[in-house]
Amino acid sequence: MAEQEFDYIVVGAGTAGCLLANRLSADPANRVLLIEAGGRDNYHWIHIPVGYLYCIDNPRTDWRFRTEPDPGLNGRSLVYPRGKTLGGSSSINGMLYIRGQARDYEHWAEVTGEPAWGWEPCLADFTRHENHHALDPGGDADPDHQRYHGHGGEWRVERQRLGWEVLDDFATAAVEAGIPRTRDFNRGDNEGVDYFEVNQRSGWRWNTSKAFLRDVRDRSNLTVWHSTHVLGLELDGSGGRGPRCTGVRLARDQGDGEVIARAGREVVLAAGSIGSPQLLQLSGLGPAELLRAHDIPVVAELPGVGKNLQDHLQIRSIYRVEGAQTLNTLTASLTGKARIALEYLLKRTGPMSMAPSQLCAFTRSSDEQEHPNIEYHVQPLSLEAFGQPLHDFPGITASVCNVNPTSRGSVRITSRDPRQAPAIAPNYLSTPEDRKVAAQSLRVTREIVSQSALAKYRPVEIKPGPEYQSDEELARRAGDIGTTIFHPVGTTSMGREDDPMAVVDPHLRVRGVEGLRVVDAGVMPTITSGNTNSPTLMIAEKAAAWILAERG
């Protein structure tokens, strides 16, 4: 079996992995290997923003996971997208730039005992790689803008390149319902309504492969292997101090057979909230009962591996409207579709430059909530389910999600075969708190839509349907129409030394195993109050600094 030597091996060239490879290879003395199971990000639909429609559930770009039948969803199973290409999920996601709330990070600092996870230290990591072009040209009049945003980094942030009258009016209706306007969701308190900022550059998707790999691929000390499947971790227990991760065992699609890549310093798992726990479990690191059930020797019993799965469940309210221009109407004819294509070809604007969601709002599901606890993704379109055609009537969708769910799920291997998908069980709406917030959030949606700003469109509720009124009816209906908004986190959670379910320590080192770290969304002990892609980049930025500081 062939062997190759590196200093650092990063498993997964997704959101975290691309940044890690960039930072670790900046010192030419570090030999860095970045491994990606998917192929190059040269598929044209990756780069055209609306192309997410053709990337999700596409074997070229997506792992095509499915969840287990979920009791909270009334027995339904969901498509569960995870990026399988350079750039990972940043190549197929919604491109929405949201950090969450300051209290998210203060909570992480509290539960880990590590002050570096507090809001102000994390803000410094966000701005370090940010290239913010979302406000008015020439900088904003707000004197605090420079404190909250960076301008020289790799991670491009822009305003969206189109607006919709019906969404402008939805925003006005939200204000009438008591939600304030905001110009910036990313200063620690994201309450308010406005259009999302997006990770795009002049109408093109800006994924982490472009941002962090493209300009450094010619570094002689950086090796990138795509189309390469990691089969397991190489663990050596001969040192007398417990196991040490010395490398990875892998198979390349080029037909080289199995290869062992050795890491002189560290192996860093950045395979995501599904891939990282799967690799740990396959390598004998995880719940002992699960490992023994698959005849895998227990190298280190880590009961938290694969537990604590959290995700945002979006509950999609659909309204039929009159007299509004929506994507349903624009694409209803070949002429309309041709105009959309021509506008994008000539200007890089129009519907083909759209992120999946345009208008955002954060608010409270009830007066009982101390902080904004629900998030809206509002779209000028409607359809029965993802992947199905747009409705043949003008429609809008107001998706709402509980950003602080109390439900917890799991990721568990189903086989010793590393190519066999794990069992993903989110356990949505499995707590009374989450069912209550689901019902309340649908009432908040109805309150917004009932305002005078939207009256001219004569909105008619298609989903959930006006016949559902009681808390129990609305909660059950949420299970019928809810779906993932693609934010799985928490399956390799960080925590204090005395936390038996913590998989990694506050510096993201795997408990009881030397030379091994996890750096991806799985380390979040609790999900952020908003979209999770850019918080994952922040985690990678912080981890890279720690890794380099520990070289000795």
Side-chain angles (χ1 to χ4, degrees), residues 505-545:
D505 71 11
H507 283 209
L508 312 186
R509 295 167 293 210
V510 174
R511 300 282 192 192
V513 182
E514 294 186 9
L516 181 62
R517 238 178 265 246
V518 180
V519 182
D520 55 38
V523 306
M524 297 184 189
T526 48
I527 196 167
T528 54
S529 302
N531 308 68
T532 55
N533 185 251
S534 288
T536 302
L537 267 184
M538 181 279 296
I539 290 170
E541 188 78 76
K542 191 179 296 291

Side-chain angles (χ1 to χ4, degrees), residues 99-112 117 273 307-312 402-408 487-495 499 520-532 535-536 538-539:
R99 296 172 179 168
Q101 297 172 15
R103 66 187 179 96
D104 301 331
Y105 304 99
E106 296 300 331
H107 178 66
W108 292 5
E110 179 183 352
V111 299
T112 63
W117 289 113
S273 295
K307 302 290 181 63
N308 194 46
L309 174 63
Q310 299 157 63
D311 191 12
H312 290 143
N402 175 2
V403 296
N404 304 130
T406 56
S407 298
R408 298 292 184 267
H487 298 164
V489 309
T491 52
T492 52
S493 177
M494 59 179 164
D499 180 355
D520 55 38
V523 306
M524 297 184 189
T526 48
I527 196 167
T528 54
S529 302
N531 308 68
T532 55
T536 302
M538 181 279 296
I539 290 170

